[in-house]
Amino acid sequence: GVRAVDLSAGMTSYLVTLAVLIPVSSWTAERFGTREVFGWAIAVFTFASVLCGLAQTAEQFTLARILQGAGGAMMVPVGRLAALRGVEKKDLMRTIAFITWPGLVAPVIGPPLGGLITAYASWRWIFLLNVPLGIAGFFLVRAHVRNHGVGQKRPFDAPGFVLSGAALAAVMVGLELVGREGSLGEAGLYLLAGLVLGVIAVWHARRAAHPMLDFSVLRIPTFRVTVFSGTLSRIGISVTPFLAPLMFQQGFGLNAFQSGLLFLAAALGNIGMKPMTSAVLRRFGFRNVSLGNLLVVGAATFACGLLAPDTAVPLILMTMAVYGLSRSMQFTALVTLAFADVPADKMSNANILFNTVFQLAMGLRVAAGALALHVAVWLHGGDAAKPHAADFSLAFMLTAALILISLGGYWRLRPDAGAQVSGHKAGEPSSAR
């Protein structure tokens, strides 16, 4: 019973809580063990989901989202760490492909499922559906996950926690404000504050004996590429799940459920690529796959900008499917390459830094999509509150350009980058494979 804009605090509070607490998840897992932290993080997230579903006011909802963010901040990175810790390099690609798949499919299944729930049931079920999954997850973790790392005594980096938390919180608030009409000035102040605090946090981390965020893992070339160029391409690729449903609804005049059904073809593309990912990487290697696939996903994003209200439905579905195929390939390659050359004793530090940057990229994707749409509307002289199909077309083309800009970092990869994980042998003739 409140305006949609008044609920933005629920989104912002969740993202800020994630950003602040993700860096501390590594220290927590080392102190109490991955099984304990992962299991109880699921329990907190599930309990908070119940509170979200039962909320009667926007204030109650926002508080519940903060608690849910606390659970999510520990659940995702510690869950990935539990899966990666102890995995041999030869099994890393298969392991990451398996644990990455839900994260690839969820954002494209979300629009049709969310549209179905909100159109034909109650929004409360969006949160209450987490309860049986959370209960099952808690007991499965207790039964099957080893409690690695319990009792380690690495000192807690309080200054690093405050500095990194404040920097990340300021950036996430600023990114959320970018998407609001008339808030660019305020967003700029938050982003500037986040940048200054971030520089201080990096300065502190490079001098601390046990930093909250260990930037030394950036010396590993493959990890460095996935953090810098990978973040840029991830932002561009991730804009489509934000822009496409909006285009189908506001530009084409479809309802939420119809919009979600069209975008569901991207989920089918994600699923269709998954069985082929390992074979493709083994045959062509991380460098060639990343470069070639970026061209494909960039072209698919550009093609989204050519869609119109009178475009035949099969053509829309084919465009979404190609986008889903290339998105799945790029993200799986990115995550696998990130940890391909990371030694076991640095896996925890690399995992936390990767998750922190990933969370920033997820905030940036909405900001980038909203900014591209604002620029398109401004160039066309339209109303930002009522964008037209042509505005979305230009926004998609700007997004495709962002994806292609990230090609440079991948170009500098060695031909045999990550070969011990992919099994690719650079220079080997195709007939020998």
Side-chain angles (χ1 to χ4, degrees):
V2 300
R3 297 178 304 165
V5 68
D6 295 328
L7 283 176
S8 63
M11 173 65 77
T12 306
S13 61
Y14 179 82
L15 293 176
V16 169
T17 306
L18 276 180
V20 170
L21 293 182
I22 279 178
V24 81
S25 61
S26 175
W27 181 88
T28 307
E30 290 178 2
R31 180 58 61 94
F32 302 105
T34 50
R35 183 184 64 203
E36 295 299 317
V37 175
F38 188 29
W40 287 108
I42 292 175
V44 170
F45 186 90
T46 304
F47 176 67
S49 296
V50 174
L51 297 181
C52 288
L54 298 178
Q56 300 299 313
T57 66
E59 292 76 17
Q60 292 176 4
F61 180 75
T62 300
L63 291 173
R65 288 284 281 171
I66 292 173
L67 183 61
Q68 195 179 41
M74 298 291 162
M75 183 171 64
V76 176
V78 176
R80 178 180 280 131
L81 180 61
L84 295 181
R85 182 170 274 166
V87 173
E88 296 182 24
K89 293 296 184 182
K90 64 182 180 65
D91 298 320
L92 186 64
M93 186 160 61
R94 183 177 60 182
T95 301
I96 288 181
F98 184 77
I99 64 176
T100 304
W101 183 82
L104 290 172
V105 175
V108 288
I109 289 182
L113 182 59
L116 178 66
I117 291 172
T118 54
Y120 300 108
S122 168
W123 63 267
R124 299 181 186 276
W125 283 104
I126 290 176
F127 297 96
L128 297 178
L129 281 174
N130 290 339
V131 176
L133 298 174
I135 292 173
F138 176 81
F139 286 106
L140 286 170
V141 167
R142 303 296 297 180
H144 297 289
V145 175
R146 294 180 180 179
N147 203 32
H148 288 290
V150 63
Q152 295 188 29
K153 301 298 182 182
R154 178 163 65 99
F156 183 75
D157 179 20
F161 172 66
V162 173
L163 286 169
S164 63
L168 292 167
V171 169
M172 295 307 295
V173 172
L175 293 176
E176 198 276 333
L177 289 173
V178 168
R180 293 193 199 176
E181 180 68 19
S183 298
L184 285 180
E186 187 180 358
L189 291 177
Y190 273 103
L191 292 173
L192 179 60
L195 178 62
V196 172
L197 288 168
V199 170
I200 299 173
V202 172
W203 178 84
H204 165 79
R206 296 181 66 178
R207 286 157 178 78
H210 302 281
M212 183 65 62
L213 290 174
D214 183 3
F215 294 97
S216 67
V217 291
L218 290 174
R219 299 191 189 108
I220 302 170
T222 48
F223 185 81
R224 184 170 61 246
V225 166
T226 61
V227 167
F228 293 109
S229 297
T231 297
L232 194 61
S233 58
R234 188 184 294 114
I235 291 167
I237 295 170
S238 298
V239 166
T240 296
F242 168 74
L243 275 183
L246 280 179
M247 179 178 70
F248 294 146
Q249 293 176 65
Q250 298 183 17
F252 294 7
L254 304 177
N255 64 33
F257 184 50
Q258 292 170 326
S259 166
L261 286 178
L262 285 179
F263 198 66
L264 189 59
L268 298 178
N270 273 290
I271 296 170
M273 175 55 71
K274 188 53 59 184
M276 299 182 285
T277 302
S278 297
V280 172
L281 287 170
R282 186 176 300 110
R283 182 175 181 86
F284 299 105
F286 283 105
R287 182 180 184 273
N288 292 334
V289 169
S290 297
L291 289 171
N293 192 71
L294 267 179
L295 294 175
V296 175
V297 72
T301 304
F302 187 87
C304 289
L306 301 179
L307 301 177
D310 59 351
T311 301
V313 171
L315 187 57
I316 296 177
L317 294 176
M318 185 177 69
T319 303
M320 293 294 102
V322 172
Y323 163 78
L325 285 164
S326 52
R327 175 181 182 269
S328 177
M329 184 73 252
Q330 197 69 28
F331 280 8
T332 301
L334 263 176
V335 179
T336 309
L337 183 62
F339 300 102
D341 298 326
V342 176
D345 62 332
K346 290 287 187 180
M347 189 64 75
S348 179
N349 294 329
N351 180 58
I352 292 306
L353 185 57
F354 183 85
N355 277 281
T356 301
V357 173
F358 181 84
Q359 187 57 44
L360 282 175
M362 290 301 98
L364 280 165
R365 73 181 176 96
V366 178
L371 190 60
L373 190 56
H374 284 318
V375 169
V377 171
W378 175 72
L379 289 174
H380 289 150
D383 182 1
K386 298 178 181 179
H388 298 291
D391 300 323
F392 286 101
S393 294
L394 181 55
F396 271 114
M397 294 175 186
L398 293 172
T399 302
L402 177 64
I403 293 172
L404 296 179
I405 288 172
S406 68
L407 280 166
Y410 297 99
W411 187 266
R412 290 190 291 272
L413 280 172
R414 290 170 54 92
D416 61 348
Q420 62 175 323
V421 171
S422 67
H424 172 70
K425 296 180 180 178
E428 183 180 279
S430 298
S431 59
R433 298 192 191 112

